[in-house]
Amino acid sequence: MADTTMTARSAAANPRATLQDLLPKIVLAPSFAVILIFVYGFIAFTAVLSFSGSKLLPDFSTWVGFGNYVRLFNHPNWIVALKNLAIFSILYIVVCSVIGLALAIFLDQKIRGEGVLRPIYLYPMALSFIVTGVAWKWFLDPGIGLEHVMQSIGWESFSFRWIKDGKMAIYTIVIAAVWQSSGFVMAMFLAGLRGVDNEIIKAAQIDGASTLTIYRRIIIPLMRPVFLSAFVVLAHLAIKSYDLVVAMTDGGPGTATWTPALFMQKFTFGRNEMGMGAASAIVMMMMIFTIIVPYLYSELGGKKK
Amino acid sequence: MSAPSQDVATRNGVFVRALIYALLIVFAVYYLLPLYVMVVNSLKPLDEIRQGNMLALPQQWTIAPWLSAWSTAQIGVSPTGLKPYFLNSVLMVVPAVAISTVLGALNGYVLTKWRFKGDNIVFGMMLLACFIPFQIVLIPSARILGLLGLAGSVPGLILIHAIYGLGFTTLFFRNYYEAFPTELVRAAQIDGASFFQIFRRILLPSSGPIIVVTVIWQFTNIWNDFLFGSSFSSVDSIPITVALNNLVNSSTGVKEYNVHFAGAILAALPTLIVYIVSGRYFVRGLMAGAVKG
């Protein structure tokens, strides 16, 4: 309506006091300054540290170049952490997406009781990873948990001791993490499904397409942006995974369930290898930024008019 | 977004529908099982867990594990239960949520209604701050807190949580205010309303939903935080998540599983209640945090 004239006039008639003009920036400035220091300044600090020979405390007198990075990538614990991250993140992302999509499609079939089921699928997201970790740690514990239950109801040979087994322990963390996050992925897909235009589906039905075909050829391809969002969120959570591992296994048995985040913590604060800890944090950040930056760029870029 | 369901559904056969219901129920059991295990076993004596079946209902009901978890269980070196740490978390969470939400609202207001050259860069930098792995700021944060004299204190944790929550709160409000008609702001400006008057009288009254979403998001994240809590707290500022982990993973003594479960539920209760009371907003916050732009 009159909005174009409004903005034109406000731009012309604007002999306001300087303070009023500056006020918005003054309001924003503290937040921005804090972010500049506590995020970008601190990243720079950690980056510098990663080239220093810091041990117990930051030490800016000895420089080792890329020495910390070289030691990092030659350290067996870091290699284990990277392998675990690969196993964990692939399974976590794939299983969460499959379960999430399946549940969303099922729930979208005019299900009675959807209002009851949806919150049940989603509540784990409200819990802290420590709580999730405690629940699963004891539930999977051979002494009192699943194995014990199965044996006590008569299945004597039942054995499930993954959490105590160096080779399998990382998978128990996947189980708990999937439990925590898959409902959330379901909610993302459900929102996506509900946003699909019904006209397209009706048209396909008139053309005689089967339900399966409609999902495979029309609806799931339309979910591409949801897959992308889910991937970014889950990958980001996976790289940061720390609390859950601490609560369930604290990296054990041995170093079997170390992740990069756990490595950073243990080396920096436990083993007084601050330089290597800083290097590992930088590597983690680069992994996350490789995923996040292009995503944010495309999301924000697409929004600009 | 709860538009009518897809019409695809109507053409499924009875068998397929039965299968779908069965699968949905199986998954409901999967999601409820750990909660059930925690609740049931927190109400049993320890012997019953060791000898009996974790999935069975208590034969002898008891609330002793709850009392112990709350006020007498050994945590670290002192037999205080989770109570003092629960209070630490409350003292930490309330100011941290309030500060980051207020600042986020103001930032969102400036970034959408008082745009300036380079505002996109400022926003981009604040947005990217949401996604950094916090490991990268741990070492310098510890230094700064030390320099400020806030090391190992609740105010130190408040500061850290408020700062690292700013990116998300700003994002939430920016996206919300983006859709708010700028003409109203301009009209008020012409009528002589000041920067803060416009915010208070025009934007704030319609900001209810986004405030709820932001507060829930921040509350859940800060309450559930473990990394900052374990890195920057000392004996008298330990938050509940760290205390729970100490309770469960301390290697000394008998493992009191029933107390652990009761403690885990206590630690989860505030966020669970928030979720039950306002699930709709909770989900919206998750989605807003996930689907950018």
Side-chain angles (χ1 to χ4, degrees), chain A residues 99-117:
Chain A
I99 294 181
L101 180 63
L103 287 179
I105 291 177
F106 293 160
L107 269 188
D108 204 31
Q109 309 300 314
K110 296 189 169 138
I111 290 299
R112 250 170 233 276
E114 185 197 323
V116 178
L117 289 170

Side-chain angles (χ1 to χ4, degrees), chain A residues 231-291:
Chain A
F231 170 78
V232 169
V233 172
L234 295 173
H236 169 243
L237 280 175
I239 296 171
K240 296 212 286 195
S241 56
Y242 172 69
D243 325 12
L244 186 62
V245 182
V246 170
M248 282 182 74
T249 62
D250 199 20
T255 57
T257 49
W258 277 41
T259 60
L262 200 81
F263 180 98
M264 190 276 165
Q265 201 80 6
K266 298 235 183 215
F267 267 65
T268 309
F269 302 108
R271 302 196 181 185
N272 300 332
E273 285 279 7
M274 194 170 273
M276 267 173 98
S280 68
I282 294 287
V283 175
M284 285 176 65
M285 186 189 70
M286 293 200 299
M287 291 193 278
I288 287 186
F289 279 12
T290 323
I291 295 165

Side-chain angles (χ1 to χ4, degrees), chain B residues 276-289:
Chain B
I276 290 164
V277 172
S278 52
R280 206 159 50 90
Y281 291 101
F282 177 83
V283 176
R284 225 194 279 175
L286 284 177
M287 306 297 260

Side-chain angles (χ1 to χ4, degrees), chain A residues 16 38 40 46 123 182 193, chain B residues 6 24 31 125 136 164 189:
Chain A
R16 282 183 169 274
F38 278 76
Y40 297 97
T46 307
Y123 86 91
S182 47
L193 289 175
Chain B
Q6 308 300 347
L24 286 172
Y31 289 112
M125 288 178 75
I136 202 145
Y164 293 110
Q189 211 185 339

Side-chain angles (χ1 to χ4, degrees), chain A residues 3 16 31 38 40 46 108-110 112 119 121-123 126 137 148 182 193 198 201 209 211 299, chain B residues 6 8 11 17 21 24 30-31 35 50 52 107 125 136 164 183 189 224 231 249 260 271 275 283 292:
Chain A
D3 53 341
R16 282 183 169 274
S31 299
F38 278 76
Y40 297 97
T46 307
D108 204 31
Q109 309 300 314
K110 296 189 169 138
R112 250 170 233 276
Y121 296 163
L122 208 57
Y123 86 91
K137 177 192 176 81
H148 185 67
S182 47
L193 289 175
N198 258 329
I201 293 156
T211 306
E299 286 280 312
Chain B
Q6 308 300 347
V8 197
R11 302 196 302 173
R17 284 191 76 74
Y21 273 101
L24 286 172
Y30 165 64
Y31 289 112
L35 185 65
R50 282 219 211 85
N107 294 342
M125 288 178 75
I136 202 145
Y164 293 110
E183 300 81 60
Q189 211 185 339
N224 287 343
S231 306
N249 287 325
H260 298 172
T271 50
Y275 171 68
V283 176
K292 304 270 124 24

Side-chain angles (χ1 to χ4, degrees), chain A residues 26-102:
Chain A
I26 295 173
V27 166
L28 187 65
S31 299
F32 188 54
V34 152
I35 294 282
L36 274 184
I37 298 168
F38 278 76
V39 175
Y40 297 97
F42 282 10
I43 290 175
F45 184 97
T46 307
V48 171
L49 264 188
S50 74
F51 294 111
S52 78
S54 304
K55 294 291 180 192
L56 172 63
L57 292 168
D59 167 10
F60 295 111
S61 57
T62 46
W63 299 99
V64 296
F66 282 91
N68 286 324
Y69 292 91
V70 173
R71 283 170 64 214
L72 184 66
F73 280 95
N74 282 318
H75 201 290
N77 293 13
W78 178 251
I79 303 302
V80 168
L82 288 182
K83 274 189 195 148
N84 280 337
L85 177 62
I87 296 173
F88 176 80
S89 48
I90 291 171
L91 283 174
Y92 175 60
I93 292 169
V94 170
V95 178
C96 276
S97 302
V98 169
I99 294 181
L101 180 63

Side-chain angles (χ1 to χ4, degrees), chain B residues 105-106 109 177 195-205:
Chain B
L106 288 170
Y109 170 49
Y177 289 153
F195 175 81
F196 284 111
Q197 278 172 335
I198 296 172
F199 180 65
R200 231 181 35 236
R201 303 262 177 77
I202 300 179
L203 277 101
L204 215 47

